[in-house]
Amino acid sequence: MEMESKYAALRRAAEEAAAVDAHAHNLVADGSAFPFLRCFSEADAADALALAPHTLSFKRSLRDIAALYNCEASLEKVEEFRRAEGLSSISSKCFKAANLSAILIDDGIDFDKMLELEAHKAFAPTVGRILRIEKLAETIINDESFSASSWTLDSFTEIFVTKLKSYPPHIAAYRSGLEIDPNISKTDAEDGLRKELSGQRPLRITNKNLIDYLFTCSLEIAVSYHLPMQIHTGFGDKDLDLRKCNPLHLRAVLEDTRFSKCQIVLLHASYPFSKEASYLASVYSQVYLDFGLAIPKLSVQGMTSSIKELLELAPIKKVMFSTDGYAFPETYYLGARRARDVVYRVLSAACEDGDLSIQEAIEAVEDIFRRNALYLYKLNVANGSVGQITAIADNGIPLSEQDVLFVRVVWIDTSGQHRCRVVPAGRFYEIARKKGIGLTFASMGMTSFTDGPADGTNLTGVGEIRLMPDMSTLLRLPWSRREEMVMAEMHIRPGEAWEYCPRNTLRKVTKVLLDEFNVTMMAGFENEFFLRKKVVSGEKELWVPFDNTPYCSTTAFDGASSVLQEVYTSLKAAEIVVEQLHAEAGKGQFEIALKYVLCTLAADKLIYAREIIKSVARKHGLLATFLPKPDLNDIGSGSHVHLSLWENDQNVFMGSSEYNYYGMSRIGESFLAGVYLHLPSILAFTAPHPNSYNRIQPNTWSGAYQCWGKENREAPLRTACPPGIPLDLVSNFEIKSFDACANPHLGLAAIVAAGIDGLRRSLTLPEPTESNPAGYASNSKLKRMPKDLMESVEALAADKIMHELIGDKLVTAVIAVRKAEIDHYEKNPAAFADLIHRY
């Protein structure tokens, strides 16, 4: 029970993941046959019924289905329930329990009364097709409009390739074993075709030469269009020779340079060759693993052992779930139910062994059940689309509106500017994805007013880094469906992070926090922004407030509802969870609050959220600006961040019966005390622009005095007791002095660094401020926060902890950029007006 409690969040993540079923088969309209047996004919069923009741998986599956149906665990009672409820009812029950957000269906197995692909959309929002290449070839050959004598290999290949291109891009191959010859000659393939044609129709292709030829043609198409190829490996269908199903036999294909970019998915966990599959995925970048059929076909120990073996060497980003469900809705449920249980077992054991932290295991759950398949198969679950090819140009480039033309490789510089290099999709997937994009050293020394490095950054146009795409962040742009966006790492050379890389800086300090204190930080951002509309007066173009309504105005929300609906839908498509949204107090100002996640993910999601909000607004003819103070006579916009500390599955910022300092734990108090102490220098990261200090003023809920308080919105540090938390406790703290001019990775890194100092020295907090701190100003009880950017910069320059943990070179560059901006905007105050287009 203690271990169950410890890993409750991990179990919850496994149970609740909206899974992508990456390989399954059609349902049938007749649900009378018993559903737990993999049999495709009455003869098979008779043989299976004699043996199946004596297998471990059968006994377990029978109990699982009986529990779902709330009936006695016997064949008779389950069948009785199915007949009474009807196929539609049991299908709804099974698929609801399976919680599948997408299903890819291999319709290459012929069942009697099998449902069409479209019918499956009643059970999952996104349904795609997997094409079985041998089945396609057989369909062509068995077409009665063609005579056997009229076929040549060239004429057959032309039809085969044309049809292959017209289908969705998920191709399954199997049958002849895995000793595939990728260099099969046309003469041998022609001979194989003749031998097949000499038999009776309808024929079933068995000639290895012809199958190898078809397989090679399919690989060439898959490479050309960046399509994955699924391959049956290990156990499965009766006509497979298990001795030839070891994936190590694929070496000739994997070593062939023509196919080195083709993403190959090994199905069935390659059981009993799971270790061999894991090895291949670790050595060959193009190899991915799918564990359907092994789960739920094996015993619990067998399933657990197989998944453990897959994860021994294979990257988690390459391992995927599927049910391999077929014919009966129960098979989908069994595959999903047992996969969730087994993945939880394996990952919780990895946490116990120290291979993973709990948060890393939770991320692994999302990868295995969802993200890996979404990326690999180019799925958009939000709008139910599956990437497909509908037309092919002479040069071989897909023309469908669903196809990606450009990939934006995104980074955020020291001044908080969102920047990107755009690469045509073909070149991106062929070259840039693995080798990166060249970028000048000067890129991290640029300011908000010029695209050249500031003096004193020590960054110039001499020297080049590599922008390396982090493919886990790849996003199909919801507002521009022919483009993708991906966050970039900055490497000085392949595999070696550049010391100025913001994303690596945040990872570096969070690793110190984890290594020294076994704690991770979660973060949830509030996005405040202004919507403005364009007005032309004479020859002058003005951007004026979208409306003039008060805080939480229903009229304001109604007026912007169409924009906000599209923003919300786009955020959802990007897997960014919105908790609340409302009109704010400024003219045309709105706020969208995001759910807390691991801080490294929160920074990425904040960047994508800003991109989505600005782009959707632009689409509607509006301007969305996150500038802290676009109108000096109006309210400002912040990017307040809520932070909490977690150890394994427990919120350790929150107090307990053992220690409760104004609702905080001892570790929570020390961390917050460190942040409190370093607040002036933190502001050089979180309020990094001269305009930021026009916002941070008394009586504006922006944190103008160095203090903290429970639910005190005038304090820069507010401890919070949200609904559901006992009133004598707090679950997180909010930093008010954080705005959208900040690079979020650097801002969070500075906060973590300060917290580490507090923990190392066991710092304590002063008494909380329980009223408006402006009232203390006259008797000097409270110190004013930096009144301008220069005061923050001076604090940062003297802060040894920031230099140590963030890195002296990066801090030096930050200070130089800040000083350049101070100087520029002091000399050019009118330049502030242009910043609405930059932030």
Side-chain angles (χ1 to χ4, degrees):
M1 288 298 294
E2 182 180 346
M3 182 171 171
E4 284 291 311
S5 174
K6 182 178 180 182
Y7 297 114
L10 177 59
R11 177 171 283 283
R12 194 161 55 248
E15 290 174 348
E16 296 177 359
V20 174
D21 188 351
H23 186 94
H25 305 274
N26 300 65
L27 291 167
V28 296
D30 180 4
S32 60
F34 191 65
F36 310 139
L37 309 175
R38 188 161 192 116
C39 47
F40 308 123
S41 69
E42 291 183 5
D44 289 339
D47 292 340
L49 276 170
L51 299 173
H54 305 290
T55 65
L56 298 179
S57 62
F58 183 94
K59 295 175 184 293
R60 182 193 67 241
S61 296
L62 179 59
R63 289 193 298 273
D64 287 345
I65 294 298
L68 179 67
Y69 291 164
N70 195 25
C71 68
E72 180 184 316
S74 69
L75 290 173
E76 294 77 13
K77 292 299 182 182
V78 169
E79 285 293 355
E80 182 181 312
F81 180 89
R82 298 177 91 250
R83 285 192 295 270
E85 290 290 310
L87 184 61
S88 177
S89 175
I90 63 169
S91 295
S92 296
K93 185 182 291 288
C94 288
F95 279 96
K96 181 178 180 181
N99 188 19
L100 304 177
S101 61
I103 307 172
L104 299 181
I105 293 179
D106 168 7
D107 58 1
I109 300 176
D110 288 325
F111 298 116
D112 291 335
K113 303 179 182 178
M114 62 189 274
L115 298 182
E116 294 296 325
L117 201 70
E118 284 294 311
H120 295 77
K121 291 185 178 179
F123 310 117
T126 302
V127 176
R129 185 185 184 193
I130 299 169
L131 179 67
R132 203 176 273 223
I133 61 174
E134 295 95 331
K135 180 71 174 179
L136 173 62
E138 289 164 355
T139 301
I140 295 169
I141 292 174
N142 290 325
D143 189 333
E144 293 182 0
S145 63
F146 295 100
S147 63
S149 60
S150 67
W151 283 114
T152 65
L153 183 66
D154 288 340
S155 62
F156 169 76
T157 301
E158 182 180 357
I159 296 174
F160 176 77
V161 169
T162 299
K163 287 184 176 292
L164 194 62
K165 290 178 178 179
S166 70
Y167 279 102
H170 312 307
I171 304 167
Y174 82 120
R175 193 177 294 171
S176 64
L178 302 179
E179 295 174 317
I180 296 164
D181 179 4
N183 297 306
I184 189 75
S185 69
K186 291 188 69 173
T187 301
D188 288 340
E190 183 98 53
D191 181 63
L193 178 62
R194 278 199 304 270
K195 289 178 179 177
E196 293 287 4
L197 292 173
S198 66
Q200 291 186 340
R201 296 190 190 185
L203 64 83
R204 189 168 190 271
I205 297 175
T206 59
N207 184 275
K208 184 180 185 306
N209 287 340
L210 180 57
I211 291 177
D212 286 359
Y213 176 77
L214 296 175
F215 183 87
T216 304
C217 287
S218 301
L219 277 177
E220 289 170 348
I221 297 297
V223 169
S224 297
Y225 300 106
H226 312 293
L227 309 178
M229 171 82 95
Q230 294 185 350
I231 304 179
H232 283 208
T233 61
F235 77 140
D237 300 307
K238 285 173 48 175
D239 60 355
L240 292 177
D241 183 343
L242 192 59
R243 295 168 298 179
K244 298 179 180 179
C245 293
N246 187 326
L248 293 179
H249 288 308
L250 288 169
R251 187 173 182 274
V253 172
L254 299 177
E255 292 286 343
D256 195 314
T257 55
R258 292 175 296 167
F259 310 128
S260 61
K261 303 298 183 183
C262 182
Q263 296 159 317
I264 292 175
V265 183
L266 308 183
L267 298 176
H268 302 166
S270 298
Y271 181 83
F273 309 110
S274 301
K275 286 185 176 179
E276 288 87 342
S278 180
Y279 164 75
L280 291 176
S282 72
V283 172
Y284 294 100
S285 62
Q286 69 268 42
V287 174
Y288 294 76
L289 309 176
D290 182 307
F291 55 71
L293 187 61
I295 298 176
K297 197 71 172 175
L298 305 178
S299 68
V300 171
Q301 288 300 319
M303 292 186 291
T304 303
S305 174
S306 183
I307 300 303
K308 280 184 175 178
E309 289 178 355
L310 291 183
L311 291 173
E312 281 180 356
L313 288 174
I316 291 171
K317 293 287 186 186
K318 288 186 166 191
V319 178
M320 284 171 288
F321 155 82
S322 73
T323 65
D324 212 345
Y326 65 97
F328 309 100
E330 291 91 344
T331 58
Y332 286 83
Y333 167 68
L334 291 171
R337 185 215 183 288
R338 281 297 160 182
R340 296 177 192 278
D341 180 65
V342 170
V343 168
Y344 164 75
R345 286 169 178 260
V346 171
L347 295 181
S348 60
C351 293
E352 283 293 299
D353 293 340
D355 286 333
L356 294 174
S357 69
I358 290 182
Q359 189 57 45
E360 289 169 335
I362 290 172
E363 287 299 309
V365 165
E366 276 294 302
D367 287 336
I368 290 169
F369 281 102
R370 185 173 173 81
R371 284 197 291 246
N372 295 346
L374 290 176
Y375 159 66
L376 185 67
Y377 297 107
K378 300 180 176 65
L379 301 175
N380 190 324
V381 173
N383 65 14
S385 71
V386 180
Q388 56 179 232
I389 299 172
T390 58
I392 308 295
D394 292 338
N395 60 4
I397 297 175
L399 299 177
S400 166
E401 286 297 316
Q402 294 296 320
D403 294 325
V404 176
L405 289 181
F406 301 134
V407 181
R408 305 181 187 184
V409 182
V410 177
W411 75 98
I412 313 300
D413 67 16
T414 313
S415 69
Q417 302 289 298
H418 289 214
R419 300 180 187 268
C420 71
R421 295 282 287 273
V422 180
V423 185
R427 181 173 178 82
F428 176 83
Y429 283 100
E430 183 179 348
I431 298 173
R433 180 177 64 162
K434 296 292 178 64
K435 296 183 179 179
I437 302 167
L439 188 70
T440 173
F441 278 9
S443 60
M444 282 300 287
M446 295 178 181
T447 67
S448 65
F449 62 86
T450 187
D451 290 334
D455 291 342
T457 59
N458 298 321
L459 297 167
T460 69
V462 178
E464 187 168 88
I465 61 167
R466 290 289 179 267
L467 289 177
M468 300 301 298
D470 177 355
M471 296 303 290
S472 70
T473 68
L474 186 72
L475 173 68
R476 188 75 165 264
L477 300 189
W479 68 89
S480 181
R481 297 296 303 152
R482 302 192 73 179
E483 294 184 66
E484 291 175 330
M485 177 165 62
V486 65
M487 292 297 299
E489 297 283 340
M490 293 177 168
H491 286 191
I492 189 65
R493 58 181 60 87
E496 183 181 337
W498 192 35
E499 54 203 325
Y500 294 88
C501 175
R503 296 180 85 233
N504 184 68
T505 299
L506 179 55
R507 275 199 309 273
K508 179 179 66 176
V509 293
T510 54
K511 185 177 187 301
V512 173
L513 182 65
L514 181 63
D515 289 348
E516 293 189 17
F517 304 101
N518 197 31
V519 166
T520 57
M521 187 175 79
M522 308 286 272
F525 283 93
E526 299 174 8
N527 286 275
E528 293 178 338
F529 58 94
F530 286 92
L531 287 179
R532 292 193 166 184
K533 55 188 177 183
K534 184 164 65 174
V535 174
V536 178
S537 177
E539 297 182 356
K540 194 172 184 181
E541 181 182 278
L542 302 173
W543 288 94
V544 301
F546 178 74
D547 63 19
N548 186 18
T549 54
Y551 171 71
C552 281
S553 165
T554 55
T555 302
F557 193 88
D558 189 55
S561 182
S562 61
V563 180
L564 296 174
Q565 285 181 31
E566 186 170 347
V567 166
Y568 173 76
T569 302
S570 297
L571 290 170
K572 187 176 180 181
E575 297 187 316
I576 298 173
V577 179
V578 174
E579 293 198 326
Q580 289 189 49
L581 58 166
H582 62 266
E584 261 295 351
K587 296 175 183 177
Q589 189 184 33
F590 295 86
E591 177 182 306
I592 298 178
L594 308 181
K595 181 178 175 59
Y596 68 88
V597 292
L598 193 66
C599 66
T600 47
L601 290 176
D604 289 344
K605 289 180 182 292
L606 178 65
I607 292 164
Y608 279 8
R610 291 176 186 166
E611 286 291 311
I612 287 169
I613 292 167
K614 290 175 76 71
S615 298
V616 171
R618 189 180 302 114
K619 181 178 173 182
H620 286 259
L622 301 172
L623 171 73
T625 180
F626 294 84
L627 188 67
K629 197 80 168 179
D631 183 345
L632 298 182
N633 298 312
D634 201 354
I635 296 297
S637 286
S639 190
H640 311 160
V641 62
H642 291 257
L643 303 165
S644 53
L645 303 175
W646 293 74
E647 182 177 349
N648 297 325
D649 185 33
Q650 300 298 316
N651 183 335
V652 295
F653 182 80
M654 191 185 304
S656 66
S657 58
E658 296 178 3
Y659 190 90
N660 186 338
Y661 181 75
Y662 291 96
M664 287 175 280
S665 67
R666 190 181 301 277
I667 195 170
E669 181 192 3
S670 291
F671 188 94
L672 185 57
V675 176
Y676 171 86
L677 178 67
H678 291 275
L679 259 180
S681 55
I682 289 174
L683 259 63
F685 293 96
T686 63
H689 199 279
N691 184 255
S692 302
Y693 297 82
N694 293 323
R695 169 182 166 262
I696 303 175
Q697 297 294 326
N699 302 309
T700 59
W701 297 9
S702 56
Y705 292 89
Q706 191 168 353
C707 62
W708 75 277
K710 183 175 180 179
E711 300 295 9
N712 187 340
R713 284 174 167 77
E714 281 290 352
L717 300 175
R718 173 178 77 100
T719 58
C721 178
I725 301 299
L727 293 178
D728 63 332
L729 298 177
V730 292
S731 63
N732 63 85
F733 70 97
E734 177 188 23
I735 296 186
K736 308 287 285 186
S737 309
F738 202 126
D739 66 49
C741 290
N743 180 308
H745 294 92
L746 295 181
L748 289 174
I751 293 165
V752 174
I756 289 171
D757 185 43
L759 291 170
R760 283 174 174 174
R761 296 198 283 156
S762 300
L763 296 179
T764 58
L765 284 165
E767 289 295 304
T769 299
E770 297 180 333
S771 60
N772 187 342
Y776 295 90
S778 59
N779 55 21
S780 302
K781 282 188 176 181
L782 291 179
K783 182 181 177 182
R784 182 75 159 82
M785 290 286 283
K787 295 179 182 179
D788 56 41
L789 182 55
M790 182 56 79
E791 290 187 18
S792 296
V793 168
E794 290 170 350
L796 176 59
D799 195 322
K800 294 180 180 178
I801 296 299
M802 292 298 168
H803 283 264
E804 172 196 341
L805 291 173
I806 301 296
D808 188 64
K809 290 183 178 180
L810 178 53
V811 169
T812 298
V814 167
I815 290 172
V817 169
R818 305 295 181 256
K819 287 182 175 180
E821 301 210 310
I822 292 167
D823 180 66
H824 177 79
Y825 291 103
E826 281 182 351
K827 294 175 179 176
N828 303 278
F832 278 116
D834 295 330
L835 292 175
I836 60 171
H837 301 285
R838 288 185 174 259
Y839 295 101

